[in-house]
Amino acid sequence: MAIAQLSTQLRPIPATGGSFRRFTTGLPPTSFCPPTTIFKTRKNQAIPLPTNQNLKWALKLSLVEQSSPPKPTVDVEGLISFLYEDLPHLFDDQGIDRTAYDEQVKFRDPITKHDTISGYLFNISFLKVLFRPLFQLHWVKQTGPYEITTRWTMVMKFMPLPWKPELVFTGTSVMGINPNNGKFNSHLDFWDSIKNNDYFSLEGLLDVFRQLRIYKTPDLETPEYQILKRTANYEVRKYAPFIVVETNGDKLSGSTGFNDVAGYIFGKNSATEKIPMTTPVFTQTLDPQMSDVSIQIVLPMDKDLGSLPDPSQETVKLRKVEGGIAAALKFSGKPTEEIVREKEKELRSSLMRDGLKPKKGCMLARYNDPGRTWSFTMV
C-alpha cells in the first residue's frame, strides 16, 4: 500500500534547485528528457534513475534499504514446546496455563467468539460440562514470524440427549503471538468440515446439528482408531492393529458365512471357548469387481493369535489386521448392494477430488443387528 501511494505522488522535476538536474539535448526549454536521462547526484556521482517500467521496482528497493523489518525476539521454538505440553490439558482438571495468554486474547471459531482470556476459559468450562470433550493434538509448527499453527481432533458426546450422540471436529488453530511480551494474543479455529469458517457461520451451526441425529450403536467393544481428519463427506482414520475371525462371503451387503464366524465365538473352536461379542461385522473385498468377498467378526483387543483357540471349521480362519490409515464414509439405513456400491463410488470420488489415492477394494462395517434395529437408525 505504501508503495502505491508513493508512485502516485511523483511530480515533474523542476529545472533548477535541489539535487535533481535536467539535461536537454536540442529540446525546447519546457521539455523533459526521457526518464533514462534524468540523474540524481550523490557524493559527487551521477547515478541514472530507472525507467518508468522499472520505477516500481526501484521504489520497493528504496523502501527495503531504508527500513528492514525487525528480527523476531520471541522464543517461538519455546512456545511450540510449551503448546505440546499444555494443550493436551485443555479439558482435563489441570487445564491450560492462562498466564501464556494476553488478558485481551481474541478467540474465534465458526460459532463462538470471546475477546478475553476469562471468556475463553469460560467457554472451555461450558464445553466440559455439556460435551465431555476429548482433545487430541496432532502437531504444532511455526507458520509466521509471530504465528503458530496446531492441528487437532476433538471428540465430544452431547450428554443432554438420551442417545448421547458423538460429535467430531478436526481442524487447525492459528495462534498469534504478541511480539512485546511473547504471549498469545489471538486464537482462530478452522474446521475441516465446512468452507465458511468466519464467525458467525450458519454452515458451522448446521454441521453441529447434523451430528446430533438419532442413531443406535451397540455398546460393544470395537477396533480402536483415531480420527485424523473429518471433512463434510468422509473421515480419515488411523486404526490400531486388531484380529478377526473370517470366512468366505458372497457380496458386500450379504450375510453368507456369518453363522460360521459367529459360531467360532460362540464356542465352535478347539477349546469350546466362548468369546465376547464385538462390533462391527465387516465384509471386505480386495478387487474392483468385488468378486472375492470375506465376512469378518472382530475379536476382543485383549486377545492375540497365540492365545486364541483354533477354529473347528477349515473354512474359518484367524487373521491379524495390521491397521493403518483408512477413509470412512458414514451412512444410515439398510445397506443393500446397490447402496453399498454407490457409497463406495462416492467415497472414492471425494478422496480423489481432495488429491488422495485410495487403494483397490473396500470394506463395509455394520454396527447393528439387522433383525432388531430400525433401518433408519442403523449405522
Side-chain angles (χ1 to χ4, degrees):
M1 183 64 71
I3 293 173
Q5 291 174 347
L6 285 172
S7 64
T8 59
Q9 293 173 359
L10 294 177
R11 296 290 185 269
I13 301 173
T16 59
S19 60
F20 290 91
R21 297 177 183 172
R22 175 170 57 87
F23 293 81
T24 62
T25 309
L27 294 176
T30 55
S31 299
F32 287 94
C33 297
T36 53
T37 61
I38 300 176
F39 287 74
K40 175 181 179 181
T41 58
R42 184 177 63 192
K43 295 183 179 180
N44 299 322
Q45 294 180 356
I47 304 173
L49 289 177
T51 61
N52 285 337
Q53 290 83 353
N54 295 329
L55 185 57
K56 188 175 182 181
W57 170 86
L59 289 170
K60 287 182 179 179
L61 180 61
S62 174
L63 290 175
V64 171
E65 291 175 345
Q66 293 174 20
S67 59
S68 58
K71 295 182 179 179
T73 57
V74 175
D75 181 12
V76 179
E77 289 298 324
L79 289 175
I80 290 175
S81 299
F82 165 79
L83 289 175
Y84 271 117
E85 294 290 334
D86 192 61
L87 284 180
H89 298 292
L90 190 63
F91 294 105
D92 66 14
D93 293 336
Q94 176 178 321
I96 59 172
D97 184 356
R98 69 174 293 160
T99 63
Y101 297 81
D102 273 347
E103 286 298 321
Q104 303 301 316
V105 64
K106 174 184 177 183
F107 173 81
R108 298 286 186 276
D109 70 20
I111 59 175
T112 310
K113 72 171 183 176
H114 296 282
D115 293 312
T116 64
I117 183 61
S118 298
Y120 179 34
L121 294 176
F122 172 80
N123 183 65
I124 292 173
S125 299
F126 174 77
L127 292 176
K128 286 172 63 175
V129 172
L130 204 59
F131 290 97
R132 309 283 175 86
L134 173 63
F135 181 81
Q136 302 165 344
L137 180 65
H138 301 307
W139 51 253
V140 184
K141 63 183 179 182
Q142 183 175 359
T143 51
Y146 299 105
E147 179 184 281
I148 293 175
T149 298
T150 69
R151 172 158 279 281
W152 45 264
T153 295
M154 190 160 65
V155 182
M156 307 187 296
K157 285 190 176 181
F158 190 58
M159 305 308 293
L161 292 178
W163 59 94
K164 295 179 175 55
E166 187 175 85
L167 291 78
V168 179
F169 299 92
T170 67
T172 55
S173 296
V174 179
M175 306 181 68
I177 306 168
N178 186 338
N180 297 319
N181 57 20
K183 295 185 177 184
F184 296 110
N185 58 7
S186 65
H187 180 142
L188 309 179
D189 282 354
F190 299 89
W191 299 352
D192 294 325
S193 54
I194 61 176
K195 294 180 179 179
N196 179 20
N197 274 279
D198 295 332
Y199 178 86
F200 180 81
S201 172
L202 291 177
E203 184 185 5
L205 185 63
L206 181 61
D207 186 43
V208 172
F209 279 111
R210 188 185 299 117
Q211 296 187 74
L212 297 177
R213 65 185 178 84
I214 298 176
Y215 61 87
K216 182 176 177 59
T217 301
D219 187 19
L220 297 173
E221 185 179 332
T222 189
E224 294 180 353
Y225 64 85
Q226 182 184 40
I227 300 175
L228 302 178
K229 186 175 185 179
R230 173 185 165 267
T231 73
N233 303 311
Y234 61 89
E235 294 177 356
V236 177
R237 302 174 176 178
K238 183 178 180 180
Y239 275 87
F242 57 92
I243 298 174
V244 297
V245 54
E246 66 178 346
T247 191
N248 294 330
D250 58 349
K251 53 185 179 180
L252 281 177
S253 63
S255 58
T256 298
F258 175 77
N259 289 336
D260 293 336
V261 290
Y264 173 83
I265 66 174
F266 293 148
K268 290 184 178 181
N269 52 62
S270 59
T272 63
E273 177 186 349
K274 292 186 178 181
I275 300 172
M277 186 68 181
T278 63
T279 189
V281 175
F282 285 125
T283 44
Q284 181 180 19
T285 180
L286 299 177
D287 65 299
Q289 291 73 32
M290 302 186 185
S291 57
D292 185 11
V293 177
S294 66
I295 187 166
Q296 309 161 3
I297 290 181
V298 179
L299 298 179
M301 296 295 294
D302 61 353
K303 301 291 184 180
D304 58 68
L305 288 177
S307 64
L308 285 166
D310 295 327
S312 298
Q313 294 178 258
E314 292 184 359
T315 56
V316 177
K317 299 179 180 180
L318 299 175
R319 180 169 63 90
K320 182 179 181 180
V321 179
E322 293 301 332
I325 306 298
L329 181 152
K330 292 182 179 180
F331 63 98
S332 300
K334 190 174 182 179
T336 65
E337 194 71 7
E338 182 181 359
I339 291 176
V340 172
R341 288 177 178 268
E342 177 185 336
K343 295 298 181 181
E344 187 258 350
K345 291 179 181 178
E346 181 182 335
L347 177 57
R348 285 185 177 276
S349 297
S350 297
L351 294 173
M352 290 187 287
R353 184 175 60 247
D354 291 345
L356 301 175
K357 187 177 180 181
K359 294 182 179 180
K360 295 179 180 179
C362 66
M363 178 182 285
L364 173 67
R366 284 175 282 186
Y367 288 82
N368 307 108
D369 180 351
R372 290 181 291 179
T373 306
W374 292 336
S375 295
F376 70 90
T377 63
M378 286 184 179
V379 292

